[in-house]
């Protein structure tokens, strides 16, 4: 996920907003899917946008922040509201929540032929 600046013009006025997007690979090639319009959010310097997007992504999967950030909380609230409005289709496209990820994941330590090498 990353934050992208969106500029729109209506008449002689120019409006600037920020959009949280993710890259998605489609049969036609990579595309950007809008997760949430962050509105007039001032994400600070462009260098900090990646960190803010990572914090939002972590909060969406249920990771609690050591230092709460109102910008992150607002963005998460907007994403959840958008997902609720779009219904089950948006929930499938959303990142997994912490409670959906299993505690134990089986790992295959041997290849199919039964040897103990890591590469065959």
């Amino acid at each position: 996920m990353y934050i992208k600046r969106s500029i729109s013009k209506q008449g002689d006025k120019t409006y600037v907003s920020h959009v949280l997007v993710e890259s998605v690979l489609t049969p036609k090639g990579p595309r950007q899917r809008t997760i949430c319009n962050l509105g007039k959010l001032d994400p600070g310097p462009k260098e900090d946008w990646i960190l803010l997007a990572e914090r939002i992504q972590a909060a969406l999967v249920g990771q609690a922040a050591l230092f709460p950030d109102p910008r992150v909380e607002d963005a998460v609230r907007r994403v959840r509201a958008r997902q609720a409005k779009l219904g089950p289709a948006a929930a499938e496209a959303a990142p997994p929540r912490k409670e959906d990820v299993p505690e134990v994941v089986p790992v295959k330590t041997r290849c199919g032929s039964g040897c103990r090498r890591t590469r065959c």
Side-chain angles (χ1 to χ4, degrees):
M1 285 188 196
Y2 61 96
I3 297 173
K4 181 171 89 172
R5 182 181 301 212
S6 174
I7 300 172
S8 61
K9 294 183 179 183
Q10 293 183 355
D12 59 343
K13 290 191 175 186
T14 302
Y15 298 94
V16 177
S17 65
H18 295 86
V19 183
L20 182 67
V21 296
E22 70 178 343
S23 294
V24 179
L25 188 60
T26 66
K28 294 182 178 181
R31 301 287 187 261
Q32 287 73 43
R33 178 173 52 198
T34 300
I35 301 296
C36 178
N37 186 337
L38 301 172
K40 289 183 168 182
L41 171 77
D42 181 20
K46 196 169 187 174
E47 297 81 31
D48 294 343
W49 292 8
I50 294 173
L51 179 61
L52 179 60
E54 288 173 353
R55 286 182 175 174
I56 293 169
Q57 186 172 11
L60 286 172
V61 295
Q63 183 176 350
L66 185 58
F67 302 104
D69 185 348
R71 298 177 305 171
V72 172
E73 293 169 0
D74 182 48
V76 170
R77 182 184 49 76
R78 288 177 185 225
V79 170
R80 298 268 185 248
R82 183 169 192 249
Q83 288 173 348
K85 187 187 297 186
L86 293 177
E92 291 175 9
R97 301 182 95 177
K98 186 177 179 181
E99 53 269 6
D100 296 336
V101 178
E103 292 273 338
V104 178
V105 178
V107 177
K108 189 175 183 179
T109 58
R110 296 181 185 181
C111 70
S113 63
C115 69
R116 292 182 178 253
R117 294 182 296 180
T118 56
R119 294 183 187 184
C120 294

